[in-house]
Amino acid sequence: MTPIHKILEALNSGKTDALFQKLYGNKPGAVQKQVERYLKAIEEFKALYPGQTDIQLFSSPGRTEVGGNHTDHNGGRILAAAVDLDIIAVVAKNDLQDVRVKSEGYSQDLVSLDQLSPVESEKYSSAALARGVCARFNQLGYKIGGFDAYATSSVPKGSGLSSSAAYEVLVAVIENSLYNNSGIDPVLLAQISQFSENNFFGKPCGLMDQTTCAVGGFVTIDFKDFAHPIVKKVDFDFAASGFSMVIVDTGGNHADLNDDYTALEHEMKAVARAFGGQVLREFSAAKVLENLAYLRTKVNDRAILRALHFYGDDQRVVDQVKALETNNFNEFLQMIIDSGYSSWMWCQNCYSHKDIEEQGISIGLAASENILKGRGAWRVHGGGFAGTIQAFVPNDLLEKYVREMNAIFGTGVCHELMIRPLGGVQLEVA
């Protein structure tokens, strides 16, 4: 722990500038904006917990899916990346058996570590995420303890950038730092976070989001063995590419999409079951193509098309990683486009069949193609059906792209992102 006045001195003197450039990029004003953000968070912390004199600073990033759209749940491979939007926290140990977290804009969460079982009234809340992380630490034999925190987030909810995973990883990194000498591997922190979301928050999810938030940078994950996923960082300097990644919120009603998401996974697995298996990764695309007539007697046609999307996007992840590692960015961009078309045509998750008149994602993709064709790339982002698209935009086209997306979908719908090389971290600032 570090005295507050030394943290403030480091922030005000420029000692944190190099670290903040790594976390938030070097666009004009970016570092100073973050310095002011952290200074404000410290002032809020001091007002909430006046007895605390020593603190630590933490940051946990959001994440973006880059390759492998709806491949993880069938044992496939994905490519994802941590981004410069994050949740930060000012933290101090307390002498209580309580985790006390005040997040900007929300009431304070109070989680007693004497109760490490799921609390029904907490489902779908940040308190459930914190309790679940601490419970899993305890189950695995790691130390846990109370802390006081003030947190503020720049990860928009509903943006497909995984604010819940960022929060879970934040709590895990705090417990790891304060009580376990930062000795727990980031992949295990991600698995602990996934456990919390599945068993305490109440949402079934894979491991992609948490792993990317915990590890940072470009990350590829192979889920062939769900219990032991293979995680690899991909060495590529996105900042030097001359491109920006933009996530565009095309709107739409997210309230009634659970059936769409469930059907997508179920239909892919139905094809695997028709061959006597559980997930598509157990079989090959050739087996599906050689048995189309048979499959049409067992599953619906959309399930077959979604299976073909799985095989295409699963292999594309391997090829995308190779393109990045060999600095072949143009080839990488073409595979982003190919993935997007596969999602649009075969996976069919760019709009809901329950509301064919609302197709914001499809409109966003069509407009992106018009602006970026021959220069950039575009695809559906995340689960699909409504919500966000992802675009790789040359920096000289960035202003035009953002302006035209804002004109279509409303001011403020574009999130310009940098790929952040670090995952969830304690910031060494003094």
Side-chain angles (χ1 to χ4, degrees):
M1 305 296 291
T2 305
I4 290 176
H5 71 88
K6 288 192 175 182
I7 299 281
L8 294 174
E9 177 185 317
L11 288 166
N12 285 310
S13 67
K15 291 181 180 178
T16 60
D17 287 4
L19 173 60
F20 281 8
Q21 284 182 8
K22 184 177 287 189
L23 291 174
Y24 304 110
N26 54 11
K27 287 186 178 179
V31 168
Q32 185 56 37
K33 179 180 178 182
Q34 293 301 326
V35 168
E36 293 170 359
R37 180 184 179 213
Y38 279 85
L39 289 172
K40 181 182 177 183
I42 292 171
E43 291 305 311
E44 294 287 348
F45 177 89
K46 288 166 61 179
L48 280 167
Y49 312 107
Q52 296 282 18
T53 58
D54 296 338
I55 60 173
Q56 289 180 352
L57 304 180
F58 293 85
S59 165
S60 179
R63 72 96 188 100
T64 180
E65 173 198 284
V66 179
N69 190 232
H70 285 289
T71 52
D72 56 335
H73 48 62
N74 265 265
R77 290 163 283 210
I78 65 95
L79 176 64
V83 299
D84 54 321
L85 301 180
D86 65 348
I87 305 174
I88 66 170
V90 183
V91 178
K93 284 184 177 181
N94 63 39
D95 296 327
L96 310 171
Q97 277 293 97
D98 294 331
V99 169
R100 303 190 295 187
V101 182
K102 172 68 170 70
S103 296
E104 182 181 14
Y106 298 90
S107 58
Q108 185 182 62
D109 287 333
L110 176 61
V111 174
S112 171
L113 300 184
D114 293 326
Q115 166 61 278
L116 294 178
S117 299
V119 176
E120 184 64 28
S121 62
E122 281 182 353
K123 284 185 73 172
Y124 311 118
S125 73
S126 55
L129 295 175
R131 192 182 304 278
V133 166
C134 293
R136 190 59 173 165
F137 265 75
N138 186 65
Q139 290 175 11
L140 295 175
Y142 294 107
K143 296 178 182 178
I144 57 174
F147 63 84
D148 297 332
Y150 175 80
T152 181
S153 176
S154 61
V155 185
K157 286 194 172 184
S159 63
L161 298 173
S162 202
S163 58
S164 60
Y167 187 83
E168 296 153 9
V169 169
L170 177 71
V171 175
V173 171
I174 291 170
E175 288 287 341
N176 188 28
S177 174
L178 296 188
Y179 295 103
N180 294 277
N181 199 30
S182 298
I184 305 175
D185 179 83
V187 175
L188 180 53
L189 293 179
Q191 292 171 327
I192 290 169
S193 300
Q194 179 200 26
F195 174 90
S196 174
E197 185 150 347
N198 289 350
N199 296 281
F200 282 70
F201 186 80
K203 177 184 175 183
C205 67
L207 192 58
M208 175 180 72
D209 296 351
Q210 293 83 359
T211 302
T212 311
C213 294
V215 174
F218 279 103
V219 180
T220 184
I221 311 172
D222 187 333
F223 290 103
K224 187 174 184 178
D225 181 349
F226 285 110
H228 303 95
I230 300 171
V231 179
K232 175 187 173 184
K233 285 199 76 163
V234 180
D235 184 19
F236 180 77
D237 183 6
F238 181 76
S241 69
F243 281 73
S244 293
M245 179 190 291
V246 182
I247 301 297
V248 183
D249 186 352
T250 69
N253 182 9
H254 297 72
D256 191 26
L257 296 177
N258 285 342
D259 290 347
D260 293 289
Y261 296 131
T262 300
L264 198 158
E265 179 178 349
H266 175 80
E267 288 177 6
M268 285 187 181
K269 289 180 176 177
V271 174
R273 288 194 296 271
F275 290 138
Q278 297 298 317
V279 295
L280 288 173
R281 185 69 180 276
E282 299 172 44
F283 307 98
S284 67
K287 187 173 182 66
V288 172
L289 290 167
E290 291 165 2
N291 290 276
L292 290 176
Y294 164 74
L295 286 173
R296 294 189 76 196
T297 68
K298 299 296 182 180
V299 300
N300 65 58
D301 287 348
R302 187 175 67 174
I304 299 170
L305 294 172
R306 285 175 162 172
L308 293 174
H309 162 79
F310 167 87
Y311 291 113
D313 244 29
D314 182 56
Q315 179 59 42
R316 255 186 296 273
V317 168
V318 178
D319 297 335
Q320 285 175 311
V321 169
K322 181 179 178 181
L324 290 175
E325 290 180 333
T326 57
N327 206 32
N328 193 339
F329 196 63
N330 287 334
E331 184 177 331
F332 167 79
L333 291 177
Q334 184 57 54
M335 285 184 278
I336 292 288
I337 296 170
D338 293 344
S339 172
Y341 275 118
S342 180
S343 292
W344 204 343
M345 293 186 292
W346 311 132
C347 193
Q348 300 182 32
N349 64 324
C350 289
Y351 62 90
S352 173
H353 74 279
K354 293 179 291 188
D355 187 7
I356 61 172
E357 295 183 356
E358 183 179 292
Q359 296 193 33
I361 285 178
S362 302
I363 293 293
L365 293 172
S368 296
E369 179 178 40
N370 181 58
I371 301 167
L372 300 176
K373 191 171 184 178
R375 297 286 313 278
W378 54 95
R379 68 192 285 272
V380 65
H381 180 246
F385 300 108
T388 57
I389 64 171
Q390 177 188 77
F392 289 82
V393 184
N395 288 335
D396 64 303
L397 281 179
L398 183 60
E399 183 178 348
K400 176 182 179 181
Y401 183 81
V402 171
R403 182 175 66 249
E404 295 200 17
M405 291 298 109
N406 284 342
I408 297 168
F409 298 109
T411 302
V413 299
C414 293
H415 304 288
E416 302 168 37
L417 305 180
M418 181 196 81
I419 305 303
R420 159 176 158 159
L422 300 177
V425 289
Q426 176 198 333
L427 276 59
E428 300 288 350
V429 300

